[in-house]
Amino acid sequence: MVSPQRAERIPLIALFFLCYVIKVQAVSYRERPESLAVREGQTVTLRCAFIGLTAQSVVIWEGPPNFNVMSTDRNVDSLYKRHRITGNSGRGEYSMEIKDVQVSDAGGYRCSTLGLQEKAEMMLDVIVPMKKAPKIIVSDISITAGQSLTLSCRTTEGSPLPTLTWFNGTTQVQQSNEELTDDRSIASLDLVLPELTRWDHGRNFTCVADQGHPELAPLTASSTMLNVKYSPVVRIRSQSIRASEGETLDLSCDVDSNPPATVTWRKLGGDIPTNAENRGGTLRLPTLDRTAAGVYQCQANNGIAPSGLGSATLTVQYPPHITSNFNRKTSPFVGQEAFSLLCEAEGYPEPRVRWRRKGTKLYFGNPLQFSRIDYDMEGDYECVASNGQMRDAVRQIFLDVRGKPYINTVSLKVSVRSGDTARLVCEILSDPLPEETRWLRRGPGQQDKPVTASQRPGIREEETTSPRGVTNTLVISHVGRSDGGVYVCETTNTFGTFQREFNMEVKDTNTQAVVIASITVIVLLILFATIFICIAKRTGLSAGVKREKATSSTLTASRALPPLPPYLNSRSVPAMDPDDMDGLELQDFNGTLKPRPPPRMDKQPYSIGLSYPSLMHPLPPYSTVERQRPDGEDNMVDSPYLEDPWETEDFMTPPALPPKDLPGKRIDSSVLC
């Protein structure tokens, strides 16, 4: 009977035991042991770590042979001198380190503790590399085609023993079978070739030994080359040969045999020409004639039956000749359809007739057909007749394409910046050459207006001529936005007219910097002028200048004065006092006031210019040059648009007229420099 005190302790003991079992069962692997391969002599660490170990937990390592206990907790059995436990026990790390690994260390290992449902196992492979390549043994050194041959590959090197594989060149031979022997220290593999052929001669067979870990033990291999004897095989390079009379011909007989064979020649149904030269595999026939035609046979013998035979048929031929009598030149028209050229030739063998464009190697069939004629097809064409071995017969014809013009320009859209020069290039193909080429500008309603140089300065045409046609270029200088639009190049010859549109786009230039620079220059000029006027007033320079101008009695000028404004002519203004002219003599030439020609002296002429800002429509600048003719006429350019005289470097201020009131009417005008 159990005492009451003992009865009370039994449930407590059971409870503690249950908690211990639950805690022990909570142990698991944090790092499971994994299989490894290591080279002999190296150091390896077998890793093992747990989660949930307690102070009462015991970790056990088991290893080869037969999973013997090697360590308990961190204590290693004394039999294992090169082994020790590493890692942090507090973190559950119980890794085994093995120094100077030996082949005897290879095998299965197990790391475990109480409470694990499954014990983790691993394999350790210790690799000893092969010191020698495997050896190949040939059953018969001298072998003839048609016989069988066995190649044996053996090795005793390495641990573990390597796996052997046969290769024919770089291709693995699948037929090989590994030989099983009682001696586990030898690896052997035989390759059986049941029937050899001449194609096996010179083949390279390789035996490769692989220990399964190329990073620790590299592959090793041995090779052997087969020497297979076989009867001669003769190959004639060309069994049907065609040659022309007078040529020198070589008949070649290629012989494949092992060992080498002796070659002889004969002619079936006749004799070989007396001037023939027997050079073994080649029979030379110099200066052929028609009697050399026939069947030639070469025979090769190396002592292994059967002998090799080969034959070739020689045909003596004559060169091709073109029989067609077509003209040197033919003239189709642009747009003509289904135009063709036929060429006929004869020869033996029957020649092949083709066409090509002169200077090219691209051939066309016979007859030469054109689906539709255009100017790109104009040129020299050659009829070529060939029969393979002889020289080609060639006859030439010129295709002269005629018709209305065609514009061949590729780029029909021109983009130019404002202020730049635009060039519209019109490439014209025409035969005969164009009689007229002009440029039109397309306006609203598809109305075309001619573009001429008289419309504004800077427009001109440039034209160059070539054998195929004309290139006309419209050049527009200082392009503005108003110059953009559609231009039409129109060209005409005897057969008709052709047009092509060109679209010119004018892009704005970056004027912001120009405007800023211009404003800056103007402000600086005003500032300098103001300072100069102030200084002149203070020094009396202005009064001196006025006195000098007032006392001036003559006016020397190399340019004619501009015409007076309407309100100063003789019909609207009373006659001026001669004193008011202050010595200025004028002559009237058809209403234009000009100064009297100055005396001819070796003086540098200068120019003057006047403007009348009060006029609603200012007169264009007028200029003169030094008089070079005795009759007083000016040597000058009529067009006022060629240059702006107000911007020339030699511009000088003219003398001012005295500011006097005319009787009867006050004139409100000013003369400005």
Side-chain angles (χ1 to χ4, degrees), residues 23-179:
K23 191 170 184 179
V24 169
Q25 290 181 348
V27 177
S28 62
Y29 285 105
R30 181 163 61 87
E31 185 175 3
R32 299 174 65 90
E34 295 182 355
S35 298
L36 296 173
V38 63
R39 190 166 178 169
E40 183 183 29
Q42 294 181 344
T43 298
V44 66
T45 300
L46 312 181
R47 299 194 177 278
C48 181
F50 298 92
I51 299 175
L53 293 179
T54 64
Q56 291 78 24
S57 299
V58 177
V59 177
I60 299 175
W61 270 99
E62 302 168 275
N66 302 323
F67 292 103
N68 292 334
V69 176
M70 303 176 66
S71 67
T72 303
D73 215 11
R74 305 187 72 85
N75 300 319
V76 180
D77 193 289
S78 59
L79 295 177
Y80 304 96
K81 304 293 184 182
R82 296 175 286 104
H83 301 62
R84 70 185 183 95
I85 303 299
T86 62
N88 189 345
S89 301
R91 297 180 57 190
E93 297 175 354
Y94 288 85
S95 299
M96 176 169 287
E97 181 184 271
I98 306 175
K99 296 182 179 180
D100 190 19
V101 176
Q102 304 297 322
V103 176
S104 58
D105 296 327
Y109 288 81
R110 188 160 52 204
C111 175
S112 62
T113 186
L114 184 63
L116 290 174
Q117 295 181 354
E118 180 183 0
K119 297 181 180 181
E121 296 183 3
M122 63 160 289
M123 289 296 297
L124 177 63
D125 294 328
V126 179
I127 307 301
V128 179
M130 298 175 59
K131 297 180 181 179
K132 297 180 181 180
K135 185 178 181 181
I136 297 178
I137 302 174
V138 182
S139 60
D140 190 354
I141 298 178
S142 179
I143 190 71
T144 304
Q147 298 179 347
S148 63
L149 179 66
T150 300
L151 303 178
S152 298
C153 180
R154 296 183 181 182
T155 183
T156 58
E157 298 287 330
S159 177
L161 285 174
T163 300
L164 302 179
T165 307
W166 279 103
F167 285 86
N168 180 5
T170 59
T171 304
Q172 182 177 349
V173 180
Q174 303 294 336
Q175 174 265 339
S176 57
N177 296 315
E178 190 169 2
E179 179 181 346

Side-chain angles (χ1 to χ4, degrees), residues 472-489:
N472 187 290
T473 304
L474 178 63
V475 182
I476 306 176
S477 302
H478 306 292
V479 174
R481 293 187 59 86
S482 60
D483 295 320
V486 177
Y487 291 79
V488 178
C489 178

Side-chain angles (χ1 to χ4, degrees), residues 178 250 260 324 494 524 542 592:
E178 190 169 2
D250 288 336
S324 296
T494 305
L524 291 176
S542 299
T592 301

